[in-house]
Amino acid sequence: MKNRLVLFLWFFSLSFTMTSTLHAQNENAARKLMDKAAVAFEAQNFEQCIQLLQSSIQKDTNLIDAYITLFQVYSKIKQPRKAIDVFENVLQKDAANCGPYILKYATALASIGSYEKALNTINTFAQKTPAYQQQSINDLIAICQFA
């Protein structure tokens, strides 16, 4: 009985160590893919950038930077629906750190005609947005209220 307990504890600690190592390797691989995506973005190779970011997300689904970068790429190439989908995924994972991107998200919502949702988003996250965005936020609020 004692040997079984020792064997179980050894196996448990080994599997925990292996899991931690695999997660670190996946995170490292995901970061490397993000670095390659940054190079593709600078070269304005947006299709490759998107593919690399999606691969990065597959490697590490908790790498928020990859989601936010993908959101920004979709926004840049005027694909607001895809940008919105990606950002809503980010909001579910880490809403606390989304403040600097709320204005861009709300703008994407307004661009597809979701003015009420854009306005609600701005009002919900108003305290978390950087001060330098305040004028743009006020402008977007005026547009949403007018529409």
Side-chain angles (χ1 to χ4, degrees):
M1 182 70 176
K2 187 176 179 181
N3 288 340
R4 284 186 177 172
L5 180 61
V6 170
L7 184 61
F8 173 76
L9 291 174
W10 177 78
F11 180 75
F12 180 75
S13 65
L14 180 64
S15 65
F16 179 75
T17 303
M18 293 293 285
T19 303
S20 297
T21 302
L22 289 175
H23 177 71
Q25 288 174 346
N26 280 345
E27 185 177 351
N28 191 27
R31 292 244 176 238
K32 286 181 180 179
L33 288 168
M34 275 193 58
D35 292 343
K36 289 180 181 179
V39 171
F41 183 83
E42 287 181 24
Q44 297 189 354
N45 187 346
F46 300 120
E47 190 171 312
Q48 181 185 22
C49 181
I50 290 168
Q51 291 171 353
L52 289 165
L53 289 168
Q54 288 171 338
S55 295
S56 177
I57 290 167
Q58 286 176 345
K59 292 268 186 206
D60 186 355
T61 57
N62 294 318
L63 189 58
I64 300 301
D65 293 343
Y67 287 97
I68 289 178
T69 304
L70 185 58
F71 161 72
Q72 291 180 333
V73 172
Y74 281 135
S75 295
K76 171 95 173 150
I77 62 174
K78 309 282 191 245
Q79 292 187 10
R81 291 188 194 281
K82 289 183 179 180
I84 290 166
D85 290 343
V86 170
F87 195 76
E88 287 176 349
N89 200 341
V90 173
L91 283 173
Q92 291 175 359
K93 291 180 178 289
D94 190 12
N97 293 315
C98 291
Y101 309 99
I102 292 299
L103 177 60
K104 191 175 277 193
Y105 170 63
T107 302
L109 288 169
S111 75
I112 63 167
S114 295
Y115 298 107
E116 187 173 331
K117 189 172 181 180
L119 186 59
N120 290 338
T121 299
I122 290 291
N123 289 333
T124 301
F125 291 96
Q127 291 78 23
K128 295 180 182 179
T129 55
Y132 68 86
Q133 291 182 341
Q134 196 56 51
Q135 183 58 48
S136 297
I137 289 171
N138 292 339
D139 293 343
L140 184 59
I141 289 172
I143 290 168
C144 291
Q145 288 174 336
F146 180 75

